[in-house]
Amino acid sequence: MSHREYPVGREPTFFGHPRGLAVLFGTEMWERFSFYGLQGILLVFLTAGVLQNGLGLDDTVAVPIASLYSGAVYLTSLPGGWLADRVLGARRAVLVGGVIIMCGHISMAIPVSGAGLVFFGLFLVVLGSGLLKPNISVMVGRLYEGDSDARRDSGFSVFYMGINLGGFLGILVTPYLAGEDRWHLGFGAAAVGMALGLLWYVRGWSRLTNTGVGPSRPLTDAERGKVVRIVVVALVLAAAAIAVWAATGTLTLSTVPTVVTVLSIAAAVWYFVYIFGEAKDVTDAEKAGLRAYVGLFIASVVFWMLYLQMGSILTAFASNSVDLDSWGFHLPAGGVQNFNSVFILVFSPIFGAIWLKTGTGFGTAYKFALGVGLTGLSWVLLGWLQGRADGGALVALGWMVGVYLLLTWGELCVSPVGLSVTTQLAPSSLKGQLMGVWFLGPAVGTPLGGQAFAFLVPRVGEQAFFFILAGIAILTAVVLALFSPALHRLMGRGGHGPGAVMETPSEPRPR
């Protein structure tokens, strides 16, 4: 036999869980190291001057690009999940995705002048993340098929430790390696991180037993031919559209994020139309739950529009307006994001206990309203701080603790609750598709925030921009709170009343 046999009940485990969890834990940790490490330096690299080996882009151009990087991953997770289910299988999808991500970071790390390899690398990272990210989580769940819900939840909690650790280390290490002009060293560190994750994954391949082997619903011969024709036609049309776009002279770094943002919004609208069109065999109660979900989804888009600007707008603010040496050492602008990682670890169990304590007295819609409102308040604080910076004084680093504390509290009211309510309200035949809709929230909201920055800041200034988006969030929270009783009644018709939702452990971001 190729593997050592152990007595029944004495097999080695990973914190009491299947050994395959250790493989997925390490792979995801290093992938998150690479992803958030790149996010920690991308905006600063884009805006750094040519003498500092940066691209010298204006904030109004660089912010939409960085926002698009943060949000596009969630858009590509939809075709990535489909490819795994119908063609590759989850295990091969994770491997292929990891290789593509590593190639993307390597492309960015090549020290040549010009932006071509950098943006090609970003494209590869987004493409590979769409394959890896959704499917590695699916594989974690499959390790516990036939097991208890409690043990599965515990396994995901351990898995999220890897996410937290990888994100924290990536944001901690990569900005220091990149410094103020060593960007390709930082990009190289991200490549090394993904390479280590791939080595860990391949080395532990056998420990995954039969998890994720082959597609769960492979394409039939007829379906395969139809899909090939659709893909070929789509690629030809896309190539023709890009060629015409380039010929008009409007294909620029400013217009690409705008077009992708519009396409993301169109995808979200189409997906909802598709979901309701497919809901022919669901009950009236389940349709009522779907109608309630529309309101929660709109609120989530507003939340992500503000929250997921950590690697773009908030990093630009830290770089331009914060005294990063005020604690006696230099903290890179991208490293400020780690306040969120620390606060997540501290407050996740506290919020979990609060939700258990409040029970049915504080329903899902109210939690969403509170989370969006807290996020709006964090941007009110940012607007006030921008006013101080406009007066000529750098903002003390301690103020960013307050900003990220409010953002983290907002996240803990929306992100884990949203994942849970999505699984609760989805009809049995549409669970996977509705989870895809949930991930469209950050795919739409994140680039939308970047576009708002590019449009509003040249016209009204940064302080007014912060206050405008804060006002949108607070207004959304108030409206959602007023309509919460009606939403809870719709949810209750399907047996999912305000207290029926069980929250799941949170991640630092909707990773």
Side-chain angles (χ1 to χ4, degrees):
M1 295 184 67
S2 58
H3 299 286
R4 177 182 174 185
E5 293 185 350
Y6 294 89
V8 176
R10 297 289 300 276
E11 296 88 352
T13 62
F14 178 67
F15 291 102
H17 293 276
R19 296 177 73 193
L21 182 62
V23 179
L24 303 178
F25 175 101
T27 306
E28 179 74 344
M29 181 187 74
W30 285 113
E31 187 274 331
R32 291 293 89 180
F33 173 95
S34 69
F35 182 89
Y36 285 102
L38 174 55
Q39 182 173 278
I41 63 174
L42 179 60
L43 188 282
V44 186
F45 162 73
L46 294 174
T47 57
V50 177
L51 294 178
Q52 293 178 295
N53 299 319
L55 296 187
L57 301 179
D58 186 81
D59 281 356
T60 55
V61 177
V63 164
I65 294 173
S67 296
L68 186 62
Y69 166 71
S70 299
V73 169
Y74 303 102
L75 191 62
T76 56
S77 67
L78 298 177
W82 184 89
L83 279 171
D85 288 342
R86 307 303 306 274
V87 181
L88 295 172
R91 190 186 300 198
R92 281 192 294 173
V94 169
L95 179 61
V96 173
V99 171
I100 294 173
I101 291 170
M102 182 181 67
C103 290
H105 289 303
I106 291 173
S107 175
M108 298 182 71
I110 298 174
V112 297
S113 59
L117 287 178
V118 170
F119 290 115
F120 177 66
L122 278 177
F123 171 76
L124 291 180
V125 171
V126 168
L127 196 66
S129 297
L131 276 172
L132 186 147
K133 186 57 198 159
N135 294 306
I136 196 168
S137 297
V138 167
M139 290 178 67
V140 173
R142 289 179 180 172
L143 290 174
Y144 297 90
E145 289 183 349
D147 213 330
S148 67
D149 289 343
R151 193 159 185 261
R152 182 184 295 106
D153 289 347
S154 176
F156 268 102
S157 296
V158 175
F159 180 66
Y160 288 155
M161 287 170 55
I163 293 173
N164 294 336
L165 182 59
F168 176 82
L169 291 176
I171 296 172
L172 182 67
V173 172
T174 305
Y176 278 104
L177 290 176
E180 296 181 353
D181 57 7
R182 302 186 304 270
W183 311 110
H184 297 288
L185 182 59
F187 299 147
V192 170
M194 190 65 254
L196 291 173
L198 284 170
L199 288 173
W200 182 259
Y201 185 66
V202 172
R203 182 177 179 274
W205 188 272
S206 61
R207 297 182 182 180
L208 297 171
T209 59
N210 295 321
T211 304
V213 177
S216 58
R217 194 161 58 93
L219 293 170
T220 64
D221 291 338
E223 288 176 326
R224 190 178 297 109
K226 181 180 179 181
V227 167
V228 169
R229 289 192 296 272
I230 292 174
V231 170
V232 170
V233 171
L235 290 176
V236 170
L237 291 176
I242 293 173
V244 172
W245 187 10
T248 63
T250 59
L251 179 58
T252 66
L253 293 178
S254 299
T255 57
V256 169
T258 302
V259 170
V260 175
T261 301
V262 172
L263 292 176
S264 298
I265 296 172
V269 173
W270 175 84
Y271 222 80
F272 267 109
V273 172
Y274 171 74
I275 286 289
F276 278 97
E278 288 291 305
K280 299 173 183 177
D281 57 345
V282 302
T283 66
D284 290 339
E286 288 174 328
K287 288 182 180 179
L290 288 176
R291 288 196 295 272
Y293 189 77
V294 173
L296 298 177
F297 176 82
I298 293 172
S300 78
V301 169
V302 175
F303 167 76
W304 298 123
M305 183 172 66
L306 278 66
Y307 175 81
L308 277 180
Q309 304 306 327
M310 294 181 188
S312 53
I313 297 171
L314 269 67
T315 297
F317 177 80
S319 179
N320 299 330
S321 304
V322 176
D323 182 2
L324 298 171
D325 299 297
S326 56
W327 286 357
F329 61 91
H330 179 73
L331 180 66
V336 177
Q337 299 174 59
N338 254 344
F339 288 140
N340 172 248
S341 301
V342 173
F343 289 147
I344 280 291
L345 296 174
V346 172
F347 287 101
S348 288
I350 296 174
F351 271 73
I354 291 173
W355 300 149
L356 288 175
K357 185 71 173 178
T358 56
T360 59
F362 198 67
T364 299
Y366 287 120
K367 293 170 186 172
F368 264 60
L370 177 60
V372 176
L374 287 169
T375 306
L377 289 177
S378 73
W379 278 54
V380 170
L381 179 55
L382 277 170
W384 178 72
L385 294 174
Q386 184 65 59
R388 296 187 60 178
D390 290 342
L394 286 176
V395 174
L397 185 58
W399 284 110
M400 297 304 292
V401 174
V403 170
Y404 277 92
L405 185 62
L406 289 170
L407 282 173
T408 302
W409 287 349
E411 177 194 2
L412 291 171
C413 293
V414 174
S415 182
V417 179
L419 287 169
S420 184
V421 76
T422 299
T423 61
Q424 292 289 335
L425 292 181
S428 57
S429 61
L430 299 174
K431 285 190 181 294
Q433 295 176 57
L434 203 65
M435 185 58 70
V437 170
W438 170 252
F439 284 114
L440 279 177
V444 171
T446 311
L448 195 59
Q451 288 300 308
F453 182 92
F455 179 79
L456 289 173
V457 168
R459 292 166 174 80
V460 301
E462 291 175 321
Q463 183 180 36
F465 164 74
F466 284 128
F467 285 144
I468 289 171
L469 262 66
I472 292 173
I474 293 171
L475 179 61
T476 301
V478 171
V479 172
L480 183 59
L482 292 175
F483 280 91
S484 288
L487 293 176
H488 287 146
R489 282 194 296 272
L490 286 173
M491 294 163 63
R493 286 172 58 186
H496 306 298
V501 178
M502 298 298 294
E503 281 69 36
T504 57
S506 177
E507 312 174 41
R509 298 152 190 88
R511 299 177 176 187

